[in-house]
Amino acid sequence: QVQLVESGGGLVQPGGSLRLSCAASGSIFGINAMGWYRQAPGKERELVAAITSGGSTNYADSVKGRFTISRDNAKNTVYLQMNSLKPEDTAVYFCNADQIVVGVKYNYWGQGTQVTVSS
């Protein structure tokens, strides 16, 4: 089992910045991709950004150029630096991790952290 704990959410004004962190603990061997998803009220959960253990990244078009995902494999932590935040970025942000153990793929979610962009 892998536990994911997010932190760093909060209230920020439009144009501001926040940095989210997600620390993985437990049986972390075999974790590959980690990422951030978000879900706004009344909308489906969507991928924001993801990063593999080798450092390859991909981003949703809506956040390209504003958000940066990074990863510290030694600390088993993934970060999401969010700049130039917009009201439409308001959502609950969830950390996600893929793990492969003895050829079996597992997927884990964090509990979510609220990000609110409002003046």
Side-chain angles (χ1 to χ4, degrees):
Q1 283 285 336
V2 173
Q3 293 80 45
L4 302 174
V5 179
E6 301 109 331
S7 60
L11 173 65
V12 63
Q13 292 186 344
S17 299
L18 281 175
R19 188 193 195 205
L20 305 183
S21 300
C22 171
S25 62
S27 301
I28 60 175
F29 179 80
I31 289 179
N32 183 19
M34 297 185 73
W36 291 93
Y37 288 71
R38 66 187 181 187
Q39 188 166 20
K43 295 188 176 180
E44 294 187 353
R45 191 172 298 189
E46 62 176 0
L47 174 68
V48 176
I51 184 168
T52 68
S53 57
S56 297
T57 60
N58 69 290
Y59 295 90
D61 288 342
S62 60
V63 307
K64 284 180 180 177
R66 300 188 297 122
F67 291 11
T68 302
I69 190 169
S70 61
R71 181 170 178 168
D72 185 334
N73 288 328
K75 295 182 178 180
N76 303 306
T77 300
V78 64
Y79 305 96
L80 185 68
Q81 178 65 45
M82 305 185 293
N83 298 328
S84 301
L85 282 160
K86 304 175 181 180
E88 52 262 44
D89 295 316
T90 295
V92 178
Y93 284 69
F94 296 90
C95 181
N96 179 269
D98 282 334
Q99 181 186 45
I100 297 178
V101 178
V102 195
V104 179
K105 186 174 180 180
Y106 300 88
N107 187 260
Y108 300 96
W109 291 95
Q111 81 285 355
T113 185
Q114 177 71 46
V115 172
T116 303
V117 185
S118 175
S119 55

